[in-house]
Amino acid sequence: MTEIVKPDSEEQLVDLVHWALAEKKRLAIEGQASNRGFAYESSAEVTVSMLGLHGIIDYQPEELVMTARAGTSRAVIDAALAEHRQHLAFEPPAFGPLDGRDARSGSIGGVFMANLSGPRRFTAGAARDHLLGVRGVSGRGEAWKSGGRVIKNVTGYDLSKLMAGSWGTLSALTELTFKVLPAPPLSASLLLPVAKPRSAFALMSRLARNASQPSGLAFLSAPVAAKLEAPVVASRGENVCVARVEGTATAVRERVADLRRVLRASQLLKILDDDESRQLWSGIRDIRGLGACPVIIRITLPPFRARELVAEWLGPGSSNPWFADAAGGCLWMGVEDSAAVAVVGRLRRQLAGTANVVVFRAPDRVKRAIGVFPVQPAPLASLTRRIKQSFDPEHILNAGRLAPL
Amino acid sequence: MLMPAPDPRVLARRGELTRRLRAFLAPEQVVEDQTALRAYETDGLTAYRQRPLLVVLPETTAQVSSILALCTELGVKVVPRGAGTSLSGGALPLADGIVLGLGKFNRILDVDFDNHCVTVQSGVTNLAITEAVRERGFYYAPDPSSQIACTIGGNVAENAGGVHCLKYGMTSNNLLGLEVVLMDGSVLRVGGKYMDPEGYDLLGVLAGSEGLLGVVTEVTVRILPQPQSARALLMGFSSNEDAGNCVAQIIGAGIIPAGIEMMDQLAIQAAEAYCRAGYPADCHALLIVELDGPRAEVDELSESVRELGMRCNATSIRVSATDEERLRIWAGRKAAFPAMGALSPDYYCMDGTIPRGKLAEVFTRMSELSRQYGLRVANVFHAGDGNLHPLILFDSNRPGDLEKAEAFGADILRLCVQVGGVLSGEHGIGVEKRDLMPEFFSSTDLEQQQRVKCAFDPGGLLNPGKVFPTLHRCAELGRLHVHHGQLPFPHLPRF
């Protein structure tokens, strides 16, 4: 059992890191622990709870920017944004329920540290695209800042982006400034039957360039569709493609018409209204269709590469539940515990250099056997080590989180 | 402007360097003739000039790698250069350094419509990417005004923007992959044709790194389908305040236009005189608001913006009915920089970003500064994302005028920082704003950035003298001060 400390100011955090350096103690940096099941478990002696650093510092809706302390709960942020009909456009998922936690759990620091982005990823960008500035304390015990409170900025290196997806291994962030955008008032989704998964990718690619500018394009294999808490999809027992459009009532109506224009009548199963659409996409976003799988793999890749992969891997006879999000650029796959090591190994060999195969959830034993993240080529790995060194030379921050010790 | 003192040992080895470069490069790839070198002595910031030691023009990544490895061995500094359009002196040469020109990296390698991306060599121009995909209904979103000339490699180095950043992002938001050569000659591939690549976000930190971290040789960007329709509104206002307020109202109403540009009175007059854009003559400020997307939606939003304009006391409003009219509305804005030539022998183009809400305050204080320095200033402003481009008018033939213009520019940037903005929105720091960095960053902030530089370039040979006002040795920056056994456990709540 590790000791938990909860600094409530940047100064206390600085003192804490200095103490850890002197005492050779490793620190686990944690918010609401909603991402604890992902990456590797930290092997630190002391857990630093960032929840003492909480609260929105500044929010001016017409500037499209919010600054919040790292430990601010997502629920607080979402509520403040909703009041001004704004949102985080990258649609951060809530993976809490996968581990039996609250669906709205998570802190804003955790969202960016894990660079978690949802179905709108392929049009709106990832979490990292929305991070404008940060303050934090490095593993050298120094408080530093980067970026600013404006959208367009080339003042010094963009170290904010370097923080996004760094899982707290470079600095413990205290404050984050991020872009917020108007939330579309309405959405609708078209449900399209797709017998052969392979043909779904060409369809999604075609729809992605449709005048309607869909903000969600996913393919759900029948077993995944069946598990979503969206009756309209779950009850059908077949493979479907889903296309989401968003905007004002006029915009949604026109966008639906634009989509229908390029589809044959037989290609359209049903049009989901705003409520049904939101329910379905929150299930896709939070990968609820794979909830029961012991091992979950995420593959980001070119959509047409996904098409070949699917034909080979997930055709008839395959029992792995899977779905494609982000217009086919992101595959989620559930795998049996016993097959995981072989499957991931083969995928990584086959896709080397053209995709990122991440083991999103697995028992610790599987993670250690195959690696949560792929092995980097030597020059990249050595640069990564030097970057880590530049922020945290004694490896005290989130030790073991990205690479097992 | 103080650049690092030339190293006499390097100057003395010019012959040896030339000989060793010629061993693997063709004769025309190594430029040593003093007259030919003059072509490279400046970039878009022409106030500064320096003839480089040599210019090398590699054709392949392997050659770039060999050149950088050789320069590391001989301790020679390297200044990478695309088209040389930098407005912050990012490609200003060094007397004891070579210029690595990427002009021969001009091939489009892969146009992938299925996966909505294009891979090009880094010397391909920004506009050439859009031209390569236009006929299939795609385009590349970032559109800096120099897009006809500037290279995509340079765009990565400066994280270039343009007029559509609010909706479509800057270079870094449209970047999928890079091939980069580090100073030691190692070749890295970062990302590719897919989202969310493994590891730390190197694409994010390389974009906007101003050629100080690595030499970009290949770039993969995502391309977007052209919107079905676009409309521009031209709105005149009798004050900058009204125009600024209108921008806030539009965004506050939940509308994200493809672009919102603002011009002040002097910029309007100049554009009108230069190309008869048909701008209203009597207004003090002008807004161009472009909306794009599906047709009915664009019509609906145009109407909302028009109503907001009226509510904000617009003195005139014109909505484009055709694409020709839309382009005509833009013509005056796009000609704003050359139009300054009609008003003044020289102009100095500044670049800073402010929170939009501070616009009126900044304009008022800028007018005060203008009176104080006795120099006129015209303003074009990417109002949607807060990016200001004040154009300071001066005459370089009048002694002291350039220095006055530079001091005025520095004061404007200090003003940007004071109101919560930053020193550069899209032109970069380069040499131009280098010495202003402490206005925004603490020494700790700057040291951490320089440590990241050390991770890429431990010898400090790549484009030194840019971005950072003070150079430190990497060994000195890396030192860690640990107070062994002297610190108590911090007094913190425990659980």
Side-chain angles (χ1 to χ4, degrees):
Chain A
M1 193 60 196
T2 67
E3 192 164 13
I4 300 174
V5 291
K6 194 172 169 185
D8 56 17
S9 69
E10 189 178 88
E11 294 72 34
Q12 286 188 349
L13 188 58
V14 166
D15 287 349
L16 185 62
V17 174
H18 279 295
W19 169 82
L21 281 168
E23 298 297 319
K24 298 193 183 308
K25 299 281 191 205
R26 290 170 302 189
L27 306 174
I29 313 297
E30 213 165 70
Q32 293 188 3
S34 61
N35 293 325
R36 198 186 270 166
F38 304 99
Y40 300 98
E41 214 167 304
S42 168
S43 47
E45 291 91 0
V46 177
T47 296
V48 184
S49 165
M50 299 300 286
L51 298 178
L53 291 156
H54 65 89
I56 295 170
I57 295 170
D58 192 17
Y59 172 36
Q60 292 168 28
E62 68 286 352
E63 296 285 343
L64 304 176
V65 171
M66 181 185 272
T67 301
R69 292 190 185 86
T72 313
S73 134
R74 279 188 53 188
V76 168
I77 299 220
D78 288 347
L81 290 172
E83 213 173 293
H84 295 276
R85 283 174 289 169
Q86 293 190 332
H87 70 161
L88 298 172
F90 56 94
E91 222 176 347
F95 294 131
L98 284 182
D99 299 319
R101 291 165 201 272
D102 185 331
R104 298 312 315 165
S105 73
S107 66
I108 194 67
V111 166
F112 285 100
M113 285 292 94
N115 193 28
L116 297 176
S117 325
R120 221 181 270 110
R121 167 76 184 85
F122 73 109
T123 56
R128 54 89 81 176
D129 292 293
H130 295 76
L131 189 57
L132 302 174
V134 297
R135 288 189 67 88
V137 176
S138 71
R140 317 174 68 92
E142 292 176 347
W144 62 277
K145 69 163 185 302
S146 174
R149 298 182 29 74
V150 291
I151 287 161
K152 215 164 163 188
N153 181 6
V154 221
T155 311
Y157 299 140
D158 193 349
L159 298 186
S160 309
K161 291 221 168 44
L162 197 55
M163 295 303 113
S166 68
W167 293 85
T169 59
L170 298 176
S171 284
L173 295 190
T174 52
E175 269 180 44
L176 301 94
T177 299
F178 42 91
K179 188 169 158 180
V180 297
L181 285 167
L186 285 172
S187 73
S189 289
L190 271 63
L191 223 53
L192 317 164
V194 177
K196 289 202 188 79
R198 196 174 153 32
S199 58
F201 292 89
L203 178 63
M204 286 192 282
S205 171
R206 192 155 63 88
L207 297 183
R209 68 178 90 162
N210 183 261
S212 63
Q213 301 170 323
S215 68
L217 281 167
F219 169 81
L220 307 171
S221 69
V224 167
K227 290 216 179 72
L228 289 174
E229 297 152 31
V232 64
V233 178
S235 58
R236 294 196 172 265
E238 58 189 321
N239 296 334
V240 285
C241 247
V242 203
R244 175 178 67 182
V245 291
E246 295 174 300
T248 60
T250 314
V252 166
R253 213 176 309 120
E254 184 188 20
R255 285 164 190 250
V256 167
D258 279 332
L259 280 174
R260 293 187 73 160
R261 208 163 291 134
V262 299
L263 296 167
R264 292 188 304 277
S266 65
Q267 278 180 296
L268 182 62
L269 265 180
K270 189 174 167 35
I271 297 174
L272 309 188
D273 66 19
D274 190 49
D275 285 342
E276 294 169 319
S277 176
R278 283 178 200 272
Q279 187 183 30
L280 174 60
W281 283 97
S282 72
I284 295 173
R285 180 193 68 201
D286 301 345
I287 56 172
R288 280 182 222 155
L290 298 179
C293 300
V295 176
I296 298 174
I297 302 167
R298 191 195 72 180
I299 312 168
T300 48
L301 73 179
F304 271 60
R305 191 80 184 85
R307 179 172 77 159
E308 295 158 28
L309 194 73
V310 160
E312 183 182 341
W313 277 80
L314 300 160
S318 157
S319 60
N320 295 328
W322 68 282
F323 70 100
D325 192 9
C330 180
L331 292 184
W332 290 94
M333 197 196 302
V335 186
E336 283 307 317
D337 192 335
S338 56
V341 172
V343 169
V344 173
R346 204 180 131 197
L347 280 169
R348 285 202 179 131
R349 276 193 301 280
Q350 197 178 348
L351 297 171
T354 63
N356 186 15
V357 182
V358 176
V359 176
F360 226 73
R361 187 171 71 155
D364 199 50
R365 167 182 44 80
V366 173
K367 288 181 184 172
R368 283 168 188 272
I370 190 68
V372 169
F373 307 100
V375 176
Q376 294 183 320
L380 210 51
S382 110
L383 178 60
T384 297
R385 272 195 301 278
R386 296 196 300 271
I387 290 173
K388 166 76 174 168
Q389 195 79 14
S390 77
F391 283 91
D392 181 22
E394 299 295 315
H395 293 241
I396 58 166
L397 296 180
N398 265 355
R401 199 79 166 88
L402 283 183
L405 290 175
Chain B
M1 177 59 53
L2 196 64
M3 294 302 280
D7 183 342
R9 285 167 305 179
V10 170
L11 297 175
R13 292 174 99 169
R14 186 174 190 259
E16 182 191 356
L17 177 65
T18 312
R19 186 169 43 78
R20 295 199 44 196
L21 286 166
R22 288 203 189 284
F24 61 92
L25 294 171
E28 71 278 8
Q29 288 184 278
V30 184
V31 181
E32 55 171 335
D33 173 69
Q34 290 300 332
T35 315
L37 287 176
R38 285 191 61 181
Y40 295 88
E41 66 185 15
T42 189
D43 59 12
L45 186 69
T46 51
Y48 301 109
R49 283 169 198 278
Q50 171 63 57
R51 209 169 295 175
L53 189 63
L54 293 172
V55 172
V56 288
L57 304 169
E59 271 175 342
T60 64
T61 301
Q63 286 178 350
V64 173
S65 164
S66 303
I67 292 165
L68 294 184
L70 176 62
C71 287
T72 293
E73 182 197 327
L74 300 178
V76 177
K77 295 163 187 148
V78 178
V79 176
R81 179 183 169 109
T85 56
S86 169
L87 291 170
S88 59
L92 179 70
L94 295 162
D96 60 344
I98 64 163
V99 163
L100 183 81
L102 289 148
K104 290 180 189 287
F105 279 71
N106 57 5
R107 284 186 303 132
I108 292 175
L109 300 173
D110 178 28
V111 178
D112 186 344
F113 290 111
D114 286 336
N115 295 310
H116 298 195
C117 60
V118 171
T119 301
V120 298
Q121 290 188 312
S122 57
V124 168
T125 64
N126 171 294
L127 190 60
I129 299 178
T130 288
E131 279 170 355
V133 299
R134 200 198 304 270
E135 62 177 316
R136 293 275 296 268
F138 285 90
Y139 75 112
Y140 173 60
D143 58 348
S145 23
S146 56
Q147 68 179 150
I148 189 165
C150 65
T151 65
I152 189 69
N155 288 181
V156 171
E158 304 298 340
N159 195 12
V163 298
H164 297 110
C165 295
L166 177 62
K167 187 165 178 185
Y168 295 106
M170 317 217 291
T171 303
S172 107
N173 310 112
N174 290 276
L175 196 58
L176 289 170
L178 288 176
E179 181 186 73
V180 187
V181 189
L182 299 190
M183 202 55 219
D184 65 2
S186 58
V187 180
L188 305 182
R189 296 199 75 92
V190 186
K193 289 183 176 184
Y194 56 98
M195 302 178 292
D196 301 328
E198 209 285 297
Y200 293 139
D201 191 347
L202 301 180
L203 290 177
V205 77
L206 283 161
S209 64
E210 307 203 28
L212 269 72
L213 299 183
V215 176
V216 172
T217 47
E218 201 181 290
V219 183
T220 302
V221 293
R222 72 186 177 125
I223 49 172
L224 301 179
Q226 278 158 8
Q228 189 182 46
S229 70
R231 249 184 228 290
L233 287 91
L234 182 72
M235 303 196 279
F237 295 88
S238 56
S239 72
N240 292 328
E241 285 79 1
D242 281 351
N245 179 38
C246 187
V247 173
Q249 295 282 326
I250 292 169
I251 291 170
I255 300 171
I256 300 291
I260 315 183
E261 291 293 304
M262 180 169 161
M263 293 166 77
D264 72 358
Q265 197 172 19
L266 191 53
I268 300 165
Q269 286 168 2
E272 201 48 39
Y274 183 77
C275 69
R276 304 207 172 283
Y279 289 167
D282 53 347
C283 68
H284 279 72
L286 203 65
L287 281 186
I288 300 173
V289 182
E290 180 159 289
L291 301 151
D292 68 8
R295 204 157 284 123
E297 183 179 329
V298 168
D299 290 345
E300 186 187 25
L301 294 178
S302 304
E303 185 49 29
S304 307
V305 171
R306 203 182 62 81
E307 280 167 18
L308 287 168
M310 289 187 359
R311 225 178 294 157
C312 296
N313 311 320
T315 52
S316 68
I317 299 181
R318 203 161 86 208
V319 187
S320 72
T322 63
D323 228 34
E324 288 70 40
E325 280 181 34
R326 181 178 69 84
L327 295 174
R328 198 166 150 66
I329 287 175
W330 276 106
R333 164 62 186 88
K334 296 215 163 169
F337 289 16
M340 291 302 142
L343 291 188
S344 167
D346 298 287
Y347 67 89
Y348 182 30
C349 173
M350 300 305 300
D351 161 53
T353 308
I354 56 168
R356 278 179 299 264
K358 301 286 183 181
L359 180 68
E361 180 185 342
V362 167
F363 272 25
T364 306
R365 286 174 64 186
M366 219 188 288
S367 319
E368 288 164 16
L369 287 169
S370 169
R371 277 195 295 278
Q372 186 188 318
Y373 281 98
L375 295 175
R376 289 182 298 168
V377 61
N379 261 292
V380 289
F381 178 52
H382 301 310
D385 45 44
N387 190 193
L388 285 173
H389 289 311
L391 301 158
I392 300 171
L393 309 186
F394 71 102
D395 181 354
S396 55
N397 287 324
R398 219 159 47 203
D401 237 27
L402 170 64
E403 291 71 19
K404 253 201 304 191
E406 287 185 331
F408 184 4
D411 277 349
I412 292 175
L413 295 178
R414 286 191 188 99
L415 175 58
C416 290
V417 172
Q418 279 161 24
V419 300
V422 297
L423 293 169
S424 173
E426 56 183 349
H427 295 174
I429 300 300
V431 291
E432 184 202 25
K433 301 163 196 156
R434 184 191 72 184
D435 295 339
L436 291 170
M437 286 288 267
E439 300 278 337
F440 187 74
F441 289 116
S442 72
S443 56
T444 314
D445 300 338
L446 288 172
E447 280 166 16
Q448 187 51 52
Q449 291 190 38
Q450 284 176 287
R451 281 188 202 107
V452 170
K453 157 86 169 159
C454 290
F456 285 81
D457 173 25
L461 291 172
L462 197 56
N463 220 2
K466 316 286 167 67
V467 182
F468 299 109
T470 322
L471 292 176
H472 295 287
R473 288 188 174 282
C474 289
E476 176 195 329
L477 285 167
R479 220 165 280 148
L480 185 68
H481 303 283
V482 179
H483 311 271
H484 289 287
Q486 296 163 22
L487 293 172
F489 191 87
H491 299 289
L492 295 176
R494 287 175 223 179
F495 302 89

